[in-house]
Amino acid sequence: MRVMIIIAIIASTLLQTGHYIQSAREAQQIMDQMEVLPDVEGVETVVDTVVEDDRNDYDVLIGGEWKLYMADMDGEIQYFDEDSSFDMKLEFNDDQTVYLYEFTDGVQTLFLDMDIEYDDIYVSFICDDPDVLPANIAYEEYMVLYSDEDIMNIYLMFYSEGGYLEGGYSLYFER
C-alpha cells in the first residue's frame, strides 16, 4: 500500500510541481493516519530507503561553489555569466547547512545561512528571514530537483503567510 502511495506521488511531480506539493501534503496526512508496521530486522521500508538515498546524494552537493548560470522564470530563460550584473552562489556544508550569496555588480548584497531539510523525496532549504523577503512572501523554499558532480537544478517556491504557494521558478547551477 505504501509503495502505491509513493508511486502516485512521484508520478504527480512529473506533471506539475505545484500539484506535487499539494499531493505530498495529502499523502503525508494519509500516512499519518495509517497503522505503523513494526520494524522487522533486515527489512527496509521504501520511505526509509528514499530518505537515506537523498542523504547520500547530499554528499554530491558538498564541496566547492555552485554558481547560477540560468533561470527559467515563467517560461523566460535568463542566462548569467561573468558580464551579468547579478550573481548567486551556493555552498553546501558537511554540517547540513547551505550558504547562499548574492552579488550585484560584484558587490555582495546578501548572505544567508540555512539548514538543510529532507522530505520523503527531496533535499531542500528555506529562507524565512523577513528582512530579506518581500512583504507578501512569508518564506522561500529551495528544492533540489536534480544534481550530479557538475550541475544542479533547484526549484524556488514562494509562499504567502497562509502557506499558499504563490509561484516559483527553476534555477540552474554549475560547479
Side-chain angles (χ1 to χ4, degrees):
M1 181 68 169
R2 286 185 179 185
V3 172
M4 291 177 62
I5 292 171
I6 290 173
I7 289 172
I9 292 169
I10 291 171
S12 70
T13 62
L14 297 175
L15 297 175
Q16 184 181 44
T17 303
H19 181 71
Y20 156 72
I21 294 167
Q22 183 63 30
S23 296
R25 288 183 181 149
E26 291 172 4
Q28 186 63 46
Q29 290 173 348
I30 292 169
M31 295 282 289
D32 290 343
Q33 295 171 357
M34 293 177 69
E35 179 183 343
V36 177
L37 300 174
D39 288 337
V40 177
E41 189 174 322
V43 176
E44 295 181 43
T45 65
V46 173
V47 174
D48 292 339
T49 304
V50 170
V51 171
E52 182 179 313
D53 288 346
D54 277 346
R55 293 185 184 183
N56 290 336
D57 289 344
Y58 179 76
D59 293 341
V60 171
L61 301 173
I62 297 172
E65 213 171 57
W66 291 91
K67 183 177 171 37
L68 179 68
Y69 74 89
M70 186 175 73
D72 180 352
M73 296 179 255
D74 299 324
E76 285 189 41
I77 304 296
Q78 184 171 358
Y79 294 95
F80 301 91
D81 59 18
E82 62 274 348
D83 296 331
S84 300
S85 63
F86 178 79
D87 189 18
M88 177 191 282
K89 295 179 182 174
L90 297 172
E91 290 179 15
F92 292 86
N93 306 301
D94 287 328
D95 66 353
Q96 304 291 311
T97 61
V98 62
Y99 299 153
L100 180 143
Y101 303 89
E102 287 184 2
F103 301 87
T104 302
D105 295 323
V107 176
Q108 184 175 326
T109 56
L110 179 66
F111 170 77
L112 294 172
D113 180 357
M114 297 172 279
D115 293 326
I116 294 296
E117 299 183 13
Y118 297 93
D119 68 9
D120 291 344
I121 300 172
Y122 297 105
V123 172
S124 64
F125 45 99
I126 293 175
C127 171
D128 58 1
D129 185 344
D131 294 332
V132 260
L133 297 171
N136 61 331
I137 301 298
Y139 66 95
E140 299 174 334
E141 180 177 7
Y142 297 79
M143 183 182 295
V144 178
L145 299 178
Y146 173 81
S147 64
D148 67 15
E149 295 293 330
D150 302 316
I151 61 171
M152 173 176 52
N153 178 343
I154 291 181
Y155 193 72
L156 171 58
M157 296 167 283
F158 305 99
Y159 290 90
S160 67
E161 192 66 40
Y164 297 104
L165 180 64
E166 295 295 323
Y169 48 86
S170 292
L171 304 173
Y172 299 87
F173 293 83
E174 61 187 357
R175 198 179 333 222

